[in-house]
């Protein structure tokens, strides 16, 4: 049954295996964005946001776990195999906070969920 807990666990294992292969760079395929290209695209977007934002301003960005993982990887200088772990660790609807000033770019929080008052509302995919 595709809606069974076993099917969900199998899907998660498959997703993790494919994600790890993608970020390893071993199987880069023409016409498919590589992990390195994806991280560079995320970095360009971060740079654009930083350039367009004057000091003391807050910026909200709504995005996916992959972008969050790439951003965390940049801030913490993580290897691809460590960075990809943040894709499936990031909760749906959570927020992460990053601080920037001049050349400084750091993480203030990750995966915060104070707006969820019921544990059953938490999901990861």
């Amino acid at each position: 049954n595709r809606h069974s807990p076993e099917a969900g666990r199998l899907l998660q294992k498959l997703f993790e295996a494919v994600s790890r292969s993608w970020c390893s760079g071993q199987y880069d395929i023409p016409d498919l964005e590589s992990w390195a290209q994806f991280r560079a695209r995320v970095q360009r977007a971060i740079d654009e946001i930083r350039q367009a934002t004057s000091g003391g301003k807050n910026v909200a960005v709504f995005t996916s776990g992959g972008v969050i993982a790439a951003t965390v990887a940049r801030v913490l200088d993580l290897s691809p195999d460590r960075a990809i772990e943040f894709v499936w660790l990031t909760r749906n609807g959570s927020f992460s906070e990053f601080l920037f000033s001049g050349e400084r770019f750091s993480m203030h929080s990750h995966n915060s969920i104070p707006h969820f008052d019921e544990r059953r509302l938490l999901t990861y995919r």
Side-chain angles (χ1 to χ4, degrees), residues 70-114:
T71 305
V72 169
R74 185 228 185 253
V75 169
L76 299 179
D77 195 27
L78 298 177
S79 64
D81 61 318
R82 300 291 300 174
I84 203 70
E85 299 291 324
F86 282 89
V87 172
W88 46 85
L89 292 176
T90 302
R91 297 173 176 129
N92 289 329
S94 69
F95 64 88
S96 299
E97 296 175 278
F98 299 92
L99 305 173
F100 61 90
S101 176
E103 294 301 310
R104 184 178 62 103
F105 187 67
S106 56
M107 186 168 59
H108 183 65
S109 69
H110 173 258
N111 230 9
S112 298
I113 52 164

Side-chain angles (χ1 to χ4, degrees), residues 39-83:
R39 282 188 65 174
R41 184 165 55 93
V42 170
Q43 183 58 52
R44 285 191 305 274
I46 291 169
D47 292 344
E48 287 179 25
I49 291 167
R50 292 177 68 179
Q51 290 171 4
T53 306
S54 59
K57 301 286 183 182
N58 292 321
V59 178
V61 177
F62 297 85
T63 191
S64 66
V67 174
I68 294 166
T71 305
V72 169
R74 185 228 185 253
V75 169
L76 299 179
D77 195 27
L78 298 177
S79 64
D81 61 318
R82 300 291 300 174

